Amino acid sequence: MNFYSTMCLFVALLPFSRAIQAQQTPASPSFYKTRTSDEWVKHSIRVQRTYSHVLVVDASQKPPHQVEVSPLNLNAKPVDRPVPSHRYTVYAVFRTLQEAADAALGGDLVAVMPGSYAGFVLEDKPSAGDGRYIHFKAMGQPGDVVINRASRNPDWMILLRATHHVIIDGFNLAGHNAPELDPLSPRAGIMLDGDFGLTGKQTHHIVVINNFSHNHRKWGLHSRDTHTVLMQDNLFALSAMEHSAYVSDGSDNYVIRRNIFFGSNAGGLQCNLDTVSSFHDLIRNPLLRGYRKEEPNREWALGLIKLATQKFGENNFPDGRGINFIIEDNVMNGNGKAGGGSLNLAGLQDSLIQNNLIYGNYNHGIAQWGDANPYDRAQVEPGPTSPDRIKGPFDLPLWGCRGNLIRNNTVLMDNTGRAAMQCHDGSWGTKMRNNIFINDQPFSLEVDNSSIYRLDSSDSVINTLGYTQISDSLKTLAITLPEGPETIAEITQQQAATQFMRPGQEPWVIIEGKWWRLNPNRPNFRPKPGSKLFAGWGDAAELPRQDLSGHRRSSPSLGAYAPAHN
């Protein structure tokens, strides 16, 4: 958490601190803070190299007696040498995923043989922990294992409820919605749900890797009441009603990297931490039911957080905000006919967003806002009119986005009434560096009066800049304005296209059969060698070590890709 966010919450909760300190509270989860996702994985997700037992799921009459698998290396790179595999004797065989899930213990591998299956529900497994993950792995070639029917809960194909230390690896989670049909299939392919109001727990230490979750009623993946989640190398696609993936309800401590969010009706990746929904879920918990009836104001919300912190410990419950995310190296394409944002962020704080490519969508590019929550209304509507109204963070919204670092992203669009990068509704303290934010329609970058405080934006290429209810005097609240000499403005997609290797609007992926592949005709938005717009300048101090494709960056440049070499 950065200084301003820490001070904001400290001041807000100061009246309650003595009461909290007087009682013993549960230990808070430990969130490793870094700007390097590999380091986060190394310190946060400790996966075993060998398995205690191998459970096989096989609907055929001839299940294998042995299974050969390699250890899972979550930080492996394509250039790394293959890890030798290990042959395991099968401990038990089941015909359904649910039977295997019921039997699995921490440290087990559940190897699912090719075929089509109903999904499963997994609840708390006390035997699971660091070095003892339950690993559900699809065997065979990509797409050979298909989950095409709901679990025992008809809303979800895979439901991880109030559980922990689980890996979901390599499945085709196939809904059956098509644009011309009424949505019929389960709400989501994967649901991570602490269900805190009933369980008093969060779902945590979850790995979702190498999956293809598509054509669901609402989401490829949904989560609430969670922390410490890795989403890596997945394709979430073609959600009929809403988003490709949706992280919500006070979830914390995620790494979301190398995924594709494609072709869904609303958002690509929605990280809306849902203050109202969080508090509605929280107050259902039996230990908090004596708290007074909801009031749409800050004092009621802070009182609820004070009581929940006393009962459960900080970050052990849905608090309406999400901290310590790294969102990097993702592609968002073809989303948004129903609106929203391709990367839609509400209540996300003290997080890093870098190296993302967002093109060919119909909605906002990166949108930061506060979900119009009622607890911040007095600070947002009408918002500050002069700088003397803002003495410090407590005079600003508490549950908007704040303190986020947004660097080296490429956002290209032509959408009326939308922004390539938006800071609204109490999204303050944003630092932006080395970005390409181009919308051929107004605006490329848009900031309102509740988000200007400590805005720090430079070293970027944009088209048009829009301020909402911001006077010249209010601009003094910013650290660096995006209209300064380190911003190149009035650049359209047509002008930018001359600077890219192969610009275009072709879709990023092709879906065929039971799996997908990268489109060989997809655009290449890597800047050309010596590009005057995008190469040879930028803030070197805020440069990620690598670009979206994994190439090491050797000099300052703008956007998700490092420039090509001569």
Side-chain angles (χ1 to χ4, degrees), residues 46 50 67 81 92 114 172 176 199 211-212 229 250 266 273 284 437 472 489-490 501 516 521:
R46 297 184 176 94
T50 60
V67 169
R81 292 181 178 180
N172 176 359
H176 54 266
T199 70
N211 299 285
F212 176 27
V229 175
L273 286 309
R284 291 169 61 222
F437 293 143
D472 286 343
E490 299 184 355
M501 295 296 292
W516 61 275
N521 297 317

Short mmCIF file of all heavy atoms in Angstrom, two decimals, residues 46 50 67 81 92 114 172 176 199 211-212 229 250 266 273 284 437 472 489-490 501 516 521:
data_model
loop_
_atom_site.label_atom_id
_atom_site.label_comp_id
_atom_site.label_asym_id
_atom_site.label_seq_id
_atom_site.Cartn_x
_atom_site.Cartn_y
_atom_site.Cartn_z
N ARG A 46 3.46 -21.66 -3.73
CA ARG A 46 4.49 -22.69 -3.54
C ARG A 46 3.89 -24.05 -3.89
O ARG A 46 3.23 -24.68 -3.06
CB ARG A 46 5.02 -22.64 -2.12
CG ARG A 46 5.71 -21.31 -1.77
CD ARG A 46 6.30 -21.35 -0.37
NE ARG A 46 7.03 -20.11 -0.08
CZ ARG A 46 6.49 -19.06 0.53
NH1 ARG A 46 5.22 -19.10 0.90
NH2 ARG A 46 7.20 -17.97 0.76
N THR A 50 6.40 -32.99 -6.63
CA THR A 50 5.90 -34.36 -6.78
C THR A 50 4.55 -34.46 -6.07
O THR A 50 4.20 -33.60 -5.24
CB THR A 50 6.86 -35.40 -6.19
OG1 THR A 50 7.04 -35.13 -4.79
CG2 THR A 50 8.21 -35.36 -6.89
N VAL A 67 0.47 -42.83 -14.96
CA VAL A 67 0.35 -41.51 -15.58
C VAL A 67 1.71 -40.84 -15.52
O VAL A 67 2.39 -40.88 -14.48
CB VAL A 67 -0.71 -40.66 -14.85
CG1 VAL A 67 -0.64 -39.21 -15.33
CG2 VAL A 67 -2.10 -41.22 -15.08
N ARG A 81 14.54 -25.30 -20.99
CA ARG A 81 14.58 -26.71 -21.34
C ARG A 81 13.42 -27.45 -20.70
O ARG A 81 13.01 -27.15 -19.57
CB ARG A 81 15.89 -27.34 -20.86
CG ARG A 81 17.13 -26.83 -21.59
CD ARG A 81 18.38 -27.52 -21.06
NE ARG A 81 19.58 -27.09 -21.77
CZ ARG A 81 20.80 -27.53 -21.50
NH1 ARG A 81 20.97 -28.42 -20.50
NH2 ARG A 81 21.83 -27.09 -22.18
N ALA A 92 -6.16 -44.34 -7.57
CA ALA A 92 -7.59 -44.63 -7.61
C ALA A 92 -8.16 -44.08 -8.92
O ALA A 92 -7.62 -43.13 -9.50
CB ALA A 92 -8.31 -44.03 -6.41
N PRO A 114 -8.87 -37.81 -21.56
CA PRO A 114 -9.70 -37.24 -22.62
C PRO A 114 -11.14 -37.75 -22.57
O PRO A 114 -11.40 -38.92 -22.30
CB PRO A 114 -8.99 -37.68 -23.90
CG PRO A 114 -7.55 -37.77 -23.48
CD PRO A 114 -7.58 -38.29 -22.08
N ASN A 172 -11.05 -27.38 -21.35
CA ASN A 172 -11.98 -26.69 -22.25
C ASN A 172 -13.33 -26.64 -21.55
O ASN A 172 -14.03 -27.65 -21.46
CB ASN A 172 -12.09 -27.44 -23.58
CG ASN A 172 -13.12 -26.82 -24.52
OD1 ASN A 172 -13.78 -25.83 -24.19
ND2 ASN A 172 -13.29 -27.42 -25.69
N HIS A 176 -22.55 -23.27 -24.18
CA HIS A 176 -23.17 -23.48 -25.48
C HIS A 176 -24.00 -22.29 -25.93
O HIS A 176 -24.94 -22.42 -26.70
CB HIS A 176 -24.03 -24.75 -25.47
CG HIS A 176 -25.05 -24.80 -24.36
ND1 HIS A 176 -24.79 -25.41 -23.16
CD2 HIS A 176 -26.31 -24.31 -24.29
CE1 HIS A 176 -25.86 -25.30 -22.39
NE2 HIS A 176 -26.79 -24.63 -23.05
N THR A 199 -19.86 -18.53 5.14
CA THR A 199 -18.75 -19.36 5.61
C THR A 199 -17.76 -18.64 6.51
O THR A 199 -17.02 -19.28 7.26
CB THR A 199 -17.95 -19.92 4.41
OG1 THR A 199 -17.24 -18.85 3.77
CG2 THR A 199 -18.87 -20.61 3.40
N ASN A 211 -6.39 -22.65 -19.45
CA ASN A 211 -7.76 -23.06 -19.72
C ASN A 211 -8.37 -22.25 -20.85
O ASN A 211 -7.95 -21.13 -21.15
CB ASN A 211 -8.61 -22.89 -18.45
CG ASN A 211 -8.11 -23.74 -17.31
OD1 ASN A 211 -8.30 -24.94 -17.28
ND2 ASN A 211 -7.44 -23.11 -16.34
N PHE A 212 -9.40 -22.84 -21.46
CA PHE A 212 -10.21 -22.18 -22.50
C PHE A 212 -11.65 -22.21 -22.01
O PHE A 212 -12.31 -23.25 -22.05
CB PHE A 212 -10.05 -22.94 -23.82
CG PHE A 212 -10.90 -22.44 -24.96
CD1 PHE A 212 -11.33 -21.12 -25.04
CD2 PHE A 212 -11.26 -23.31 -26.00
CE1 PHE A 212 -12.11 -20.68 -26.11
CE2 PHE A 212 -12.02 -22.88 -27.06
CZ PHE A 212 -12.45 -21.56 -27.12
N VAL A 229 -4.47 -15.16 -6.01
CA VAL A 229 -4.93 -15.92 -7.18
C VAL A 229 -4.02 -15.61 -8.36
O VAL A 229 -3.72 -14.44 -8.63
CB VAL A 229 -6.39 -15.59 -7.52
CG1 VAL A 229 -6.82 -16.28 -8.82
CG2 VAL A 229 -7.32 -15.97 -6.38
N GLY A 250 -14.18 -7.31 -3.14
CA GLY A 250 -13.08 -7.15 -2.21
C GLY A 250 -11.95 -8.14 -2.36
O GLY A 250 -11.21 -8.38 -1.41
N ALA A 266 -19.71 -7.59 -22.97
CA ALA A 266 -19.41 -6.38 -22.20
C ALA A 266 -17.89 -6.27 -22.01
O ALA A 266 -17.16 -6.16 -22.99
CB ALA A 266 -20.17 -6.39 -20.88
N LEU A 273 -14.35 -4.29 -7.75
CA LEU A 273 -14.33 -4.88 -6.42
C LEU A 273 -15.61 -4.65 -5.63
O LEU A 273 -15.72 -5.04 -4.47
CB LEU A 273 -13.10 -4.40 -5.66
CG LEU A 273 -11.78 -5.04 -6.13
CD1 LEU A 273 -11.87 -6.55 -6.16
CD2 LEU A 273 -11.27 -4.51 -7.43
N ARG A 284 -24.05 -10.26 6.00
CA ARG A 284 -24.80 -11.50 6.17
C ARG A 284 -24.12 -12.45 7.14
O ARG A 284 -24.75 -13.39 7.63
CB ARG A 284 -24.95 -12.22 4.81
CG ARG A 284 -25.84 -11.53 3.82
CD ARG A 284 -25.69 -12.16 2.44
NE ARG A 284 -26.06 -13.57 2.45
CZ ARG A 284 -25.38 -14.52 1.82
NH1 ARG A 284 -24.28 -14.23 1.14
NH2 ARG A 284 -25.78 -15.77 1.86
N PHE A 437 -2.16 5.79 -25.73
CA PHE A 437 -3.60 5.88 -25.53
C PHE A 437 -4.19 6.66 -26.71
O PHE A 437 -4.17 7.89 -26.72
CB PHE A 437 -3.93 6.63 -24.23
CG PHE A 437 -3.53 5.92 -22.97
CD1 PHE A 437 -3.05 6.65 -21.88
CD2 PHE A 437 -3.65 4.55 -22.83
CE1 PHE A 437 -2.71 6.02 -20.70
CE2 PHE A 437 -3.30 3.90 -21.65
CZ PHE A 437 -2.83 4.65 -20.58
N ASP A 472 -8.54 25.56 -13.83
CA ASP A 472 -7.09 25.69 -13.80
C ASP A 472 -6.55 25.59 -12.37
O ASP A 472 -5.47 25.04 -12.14
CB ASP A 472 -6.67 27.02 -14.42
CG ASP A 472 -6.80 27.01 -15.93
OD1 ASP A 472 -6.91 25.91 -16.51
OD2 ASP A 472 -6.81 28.10 -16.54
N ALA A 489 0.46 14.77 -28.30
CA ALA A 489 -0.99 14.74 -28.46
C ALA A 489 -1.38 14.86 -29.93
O ALA A 489 -0.54 15.09 -30.81
CB ALA A 489 -1.62 15.87 -27.65
N GLU A 490 -2.67 14.68 -30.18
CA GLU A 490 -3.30 14.81 -31.50
C GLU A 490 -2.74 13.79 -32.49
O GLU A 490 -2.53 14.09 -33.66
CB GLU A 490 -3.16 16.24 -32.03
CG GLU A 490 -3.83 17.27 -31.12
CD GLU A 490 -3.77 18.68 -31.68
OE1 GLU A 490 -3.12 18.88 -32.74
OE2 GLU A 490 -4.36 19.57 -31.06
N MET A 501 4.82 -2.22 -36.89
CA MET A 501 5.30 -3.21 -37.85
C MET A 501 4.18 -3.69 -38.78
O MET A 501 4.36 -3.76 -40.00
CB MET A 501 5.90 -4.40 -37.11
CG MET A 501 7.16 -4.08 -36.31
SD MET A 501 8.53 -3.54 -37.38
CE MET A 501 8.91 -5.06 -38.26
N TRP A 516 -8.24 -23.43 -29.62
CA TRP A 516 -8.03 -22.16 -30.29
C TRP A 516 -6.56 -22.04 -30.69
O TRP A 516 -5.71 -22.79 -30.23
CB TRP A 516 -8.41 -21.00 -29.36
CG TRP A 516 -7.59 -20.94 -28.11
CD1 TRP A 516 -7.80 -21.63 -26.95
CD2 TRP A 516 -6.40 -20.16 -27.89
NE1 TRP A 516 -6.81 -21.35 -26.03
CE2 TRP A 516 -5.95 -20.45 -26.57
CE3 TRP A 516 -5.68 -19.26 -28.68
CZ2 TRP A 516 -4.82 -19.85 -26.03
CZ3 TRP A 516 -4.54 -18.67 -28.15
CH2 TRP A 516 -4.12 -18.96 -26.84
N ASN A 521 -2.68 -13.90 -38.96
CA ASN A 521 -2.83 -12.57 -39.56
C ASN A 521 -3.13 -11.48 -38.53
O ASN A 521 -3.52 -10.37 -38.90
CB ASN A 521 -3.95 -12.60 -40.60
CG ASN A 521 -3.63 -13.53 -41.75
OD1 ASN A 521 -2.50 -13.54 -42.25
ND2 ASN A 521 -4.60 -14.32 -42.17
#
